[in-house]
Amino acid sequence: MPTSPSLDIPDDGKLADNIVHFARTLRKAGISADPARAIRAVEAVRAAGFESRSDFYWTLHSCFVNRPEQRMVFTEVFKLFWRDPRYLERMMSMLLPSLRGEAEKRAAAAAARRAAEALLGDARSKVAAPDTAKEGKEIDFDFAWTVSSKEKFKTMDFEQMTGEEEAEARKIVGKLSLPAEPAMSRRKRLDRRGASPDWRATMRAASKAGGEVKELSRRSATPRFPSLVALCDISGSMSAYSRILLHFLHAVANCKGSNWSKLHVFTIGTRLTNITRHLMQKDPDAALFAAGQQATDWEGGTRLGDCLREYNRDWHRRIAGQGAVMLIISDGLDSGDPEMLAAEASRLRRSSRRLVWINPLLRWEGFAPKAAGVKALLPNVDCFRSAHNIASLAELAEAVSNSGDEGEKRRLLDLLG
């Protein structure tokens, strides 16, 4: 439970206007703060008074926060907006671009970063060129190539993106969907247009009509949507892609129109970690932060065979059963036993509806299965696709649902030589 921060009360300030601006900042941070709630907050502060710091905090909290995951974001935005100007400067320094390395490991918490981005989104553009503003020069912007730049951004490799480009890519990926293709189950239901006759229902109706068969009852198979299980490699060679792909899986898990019966996500590296419950959180930053805290082997080595054996032994029958769609997100650079990997992949393929391997290395035109892990895993998959940019993620739905693609099988045979 967040505590109410200390608050310096201004001597002369327009409190109602500041509360409205505070609501706008909350809306940028992802909290639903519409004008009606802003008006309600002004009226609540007028009724509760502005004498107690704690009362002011909890009055605004009661007007804007309606879900548990919004508490930390609200608290950080409150600190930035009402309390400490130096805190604002520290958040500004966090948003500046920096070299990859140790600086990324010391990144701020998800709630604080979202609050800083919401409050400083316009401020960064204002301080970008102070000399130009002083001189009064007029700046013209040419938007002639805006559409072309967006198309280029969709085909840009995740590994080549800057920090701002990666943040924009996460927003686009968060809007993607992955529909499920239904399968016909063995259970059938009454359907007048069904292809199979239902003799029991027909005889029951005839017995009520004195033994006369007036109409032949029919049945049809009921559609059954499969489960989706994703195994995401978080080793060092996959670090540039695994974060974006986990954002994509978070979007699939929280999609309101998703028709997957169940969704389970595991991270694989030197160990197998179940992060499904973390991805059920609505806030993607908080969800991935919690998943990173649990997966202690982030950017370590890769033992795909051991991870697949643990999953087949301890998890598959419990969560997937027969007919689940499996996604293996890995580059196949395995340091374990290739024979074990081939055996476990074959076992997983036999107990799954479809096994899709997502490998970012496939983006290279001259890709060849030379690594031992790739050679062991490739013969046991139904589909082999790349996911190195936004366009390839958008095409992933076709690979997951198209289970009878003969062209895909020929392509796999060509890769195997």
Side-chain angles (χ1 to χ4, degrees), residues 354 382-385 399 402 405-413:
R354 187 162 173 78
D382 296 307
C383 184
F384 187 39
R385 293 295 178 94
N402 194 1
D405 189 0
E406 295 296 332
E408 188 70 29
K409 296 180 180 179
R410 289 194 299 268
R411 181 166 160 268
L412 289 174
L413 293 176

Side-chain angles (χ1 to χ4, degrees), residues 348-365:
L348 184 62
R349 171 66 191 92
R350 292 193 301 269
S351 59
S352 304
R353 177 184 176 185
R354 187 162 173 78
L355 181 58
V356 181
W357 184 13
I358 302 173
N359 189 342
L361 295 180
L362 194 61
R363 68 188 185 276
W364 306 112
E365 295 182 358

Side-chain angles (χ1 to χ4, degrees), residues 23-32 73-74 77 111 114-119 283 285:
R24 294 174 182 172
T25 307
L26 289 175
R27 188 159 56 248
K28 292 181 181 179
I31 297 179
S32 178
V73 177
F74 175 85
V77 174
R114 287 184 63 190
E117 290 176 349
L119 193 60
D283 189 344
D285 297 328

Side-chain angles (χ1 to χ4, degrees), residues 43-54:
E43 295 175 349
V45 172
R46 183 183 301 167
F50 195 67
E51 298 177 356
S52 172
R53 299 166 181 171
S54 178

